[in-house]
Structure formats: C-alpha cells, structure tokens
Amino acid sequence: SLAELRAEIRIEDLTSLVTGNPQERTSMRAVLRDARGRDLERADVQVEVNGVPMQFHVGIGNYYDRHPCYSLDDDPRVAVTPATEYRFVLVLPDGARQEIGTVRTPAALMSQQIDLPRKRPASGAIAIEWRDLAEPAELVLYRSVSRREDDSTIVYESGSSHDPSALRRTIGPGWFRSRSDKWTLPAKFLAAEANATLRSIGAEIAVVSVGHVAAGVSKQSTLRAERRIRLDMECAKFE
C-alpha cells in the first residue's frame, strides 16, 4: 500500500577542489522501497520533481543484485540551485498522483568562502577559515597517509569524512558562533606517525536540509538536500 511505501530522496550539490581545479556536480536520486526495505523495481511507476519526470534505471552490482532508482542530472528544466524548493510526486500506472514530499536546498555556499592552504606551510600554525556563512555547517577534517610495508611496498590510505578519527565541528551562525571564524588545526593532528607519512589533510564542509514527508506515504521516507565542498592541503608529494 502507499502508506507502506518508503521513498528515499537526495539532492546533492558538490564542489571538489581536491585536484586543484574546481569540479562541480549536482544530482537528484530517488529510491522506492517496500515496508520491508526492499527496493521496488517498477518501470511503470514514475517519480516527478517539479513536474518533470525523473529517469528510471537499474544498476547491476555484485552477484547480479539490482539497484533500481530514479535520477535527474544536468536537466535545465530542474537545475539544482540554492534556497529552492523541490516537490516530488509519485505517478502510478493508472495516472493517479501521490505527493511524496518537498525539500528546500540550503542557502548559497561558495568555495571562495573557505580558505585552506593548498600546500602545508614550512612552519607556523595552520588554520582553515570561513567567511559569511548563511547557515550552520559541519566541518570535517581527515588525514591521508602512506605506509611502507616490510617488502618495501607503499600502501596509500586515503581518508574521508567518514573516518572515525576525523575531527568534526559545527561552524557558521549559531549560539556562541559567528558567521566568520577560523579553526587552527591541532599539532597532534598534523604530527607524523611511526612508519607513516602524512600525505594530505582533507576538509569537507556540508550543509544538509531535511524535507517534509507528505501524508499518504510511509513516515520513514526521507528527503534530503545537501551542499558539500571538499578541499585538501598537500603535506607531502605522492611517490
């Protein structure tokens, strides 16, 4: 039944400066699941965003498992822009329409508002700075290292914002927080480890907006709009 239908919708706006040159990517994804959490593969069911049908496709994973989803990328009719509301609607085979919910994208957040040295300075304290943030954001700092094994093989360990050892802080406007500030990286976080070389420090700044789920579908449905900026500081060149 529709009351058991679970929709998982995500809008993402990502800017990556990790390679030095800005890379921009926006995407919209919708996955439908039943009451048991199983993916629903129904090509005769449509999902629309602001009146525009999303594309249905099925990805194939390991052991021939299937991952049906709806997507809409690089469509000028529904561009991902800041502070914009998006409405998602389910269109059934008989043409009946069911509201899924709405979500509003975060306010504008530009990479020019974040400063982190491209290369590690030879001396002195190192800080990441932010300016004029419109909304609170989560800042995550993580490390990438390389290790030399006993057989002289070099193993690279790329960090990510999901690392348990990453440093996390809420930044931007809020109680006892200003729109502009900086965070001096702890010396311990920058220190070398035994048998390891610190290659880079990565940073991710993320703002997430949670949408409203319409009546008539499962309350376990989720609508999220995310704005993310990723950048890094080179600490040692990769061999």
Side-chain angles (χ1 to χ4, degrees):
S1 68
L2 285 176
E4 296 177 328
L5 179 69
R6 185 191 313 171
E8 297 177 3
I9 294 173
R10 179 175 176 179
I11 301 175
E12 185 178 53
D13 183 358
L14 171 66
T15 299
S16 177
L17 300 174
V18 173
T19 61
N21 297 318
Q23 296 181 345
E24 305 282 348
R25 178 174 63 82
T26 61
S27 64
M28 294 186 184
R29 295 288 185 273
V31 175
L32 303 180
R33 306 185 192 277
D34 65 14
R36 298 183 180 181
R38 297 172 298 191
D39 293 352
L40 293 180
E41 185 175 337
R42 290 289 300 270
D44 58 343
V45 172
Q46 291 185 344
V47 175
E48 291 182 357
V49 52
N50 289 2
V52 176
M54 302 180 72
Q55 182 181 3
F56 176 77
H57 57 90
V58 181
I60 305 298
N62 295 330
Y63 305 106
Y64 305 102
D65 53 328
R66 300 169 68 83
H67 303 285
C69 77
Y70 302 82
S71 64
L72 191 66
D73 300 330
D74 301 320
D75 192 314
R77 295 174 296 174
V78 193
V80 177
T81 54
T84 303
E85 185 173 87
Y86 296 87
R87 172 179 290 181
F88 292 84
V89 175
L90 188 72
V91 183
L92 301 177
D94 62 0
R97 303 172 67 84
Q98 166 65 49
E99 294 276 349
I100 298 175
T102 59
V103 62
R104 187 175 183 84
T105 51
L109 174 62
M110 309 298 293
S111 59
Q112 294 86 345
Q113 295 173 259
I114 313 296
D115 287 333
L116 179 70
R118 290 293 305 150
K119 294 187 177 181
R120 181 176 181 173
S123 61
I126 302 171
I128 182 171
E129 302 184 32
W130 52 92
R131 295 182 299 277
D132 298 324
L133 300 190
E135 298 174 334
E138 182 184 42
L139 169 59
V140 184
L141 299 174
Y142 49 90
R143 298 159 45 100
S144 293
V145 303
S146 64
R147 304 181 189 276
R148 186 177 295 276
E149 302 294 310
D150 294 338
D151 61 358
S152 297
T153 301
I154 297 178
V155 177
Y156 295 100
E157 300 176 358
S158 296
S160 77
S161 58
H162 302 292
D163 288 351
S165 59
L167 303 182
R168 304 174 187 277
R169 175 174 292 187
T170 300
I171 63 175
W175 288 103
F176 307 108
R177 298 193 312 268
S178 61
R179 293 162 56 94
S180 304
D181 207 341
K182 67 179 181 179
W183 185 9
T184 300
L185 278 61
K188 183 178 180 180
F189 191 68
L190 297 167
E193 300 177 7
N195 302 319
T197 300
L198 178 61
R199 295 295 176 179
S200 66
I201 297 293
E204 180 176 283
I205 300 90
V207 183
V208 178
S209 296
V210 178
H212 171 73
V213 179
V217 297
S218 171
K219 294 304 180 183
Q220 295 184 13
S221 299
T222 58
L223 295 93
R224 293 167 58 89
E226 305 178 4
R227 172 65 174 126
R228 297 180 183 274
I229 296 176
R230 294 174 183 159
L231 57 161
D232 72 351
M233 176 181 66
E234 180 185 291
C235 298
K237 286 191 174 296
F238 284 85
E239 302 173 7

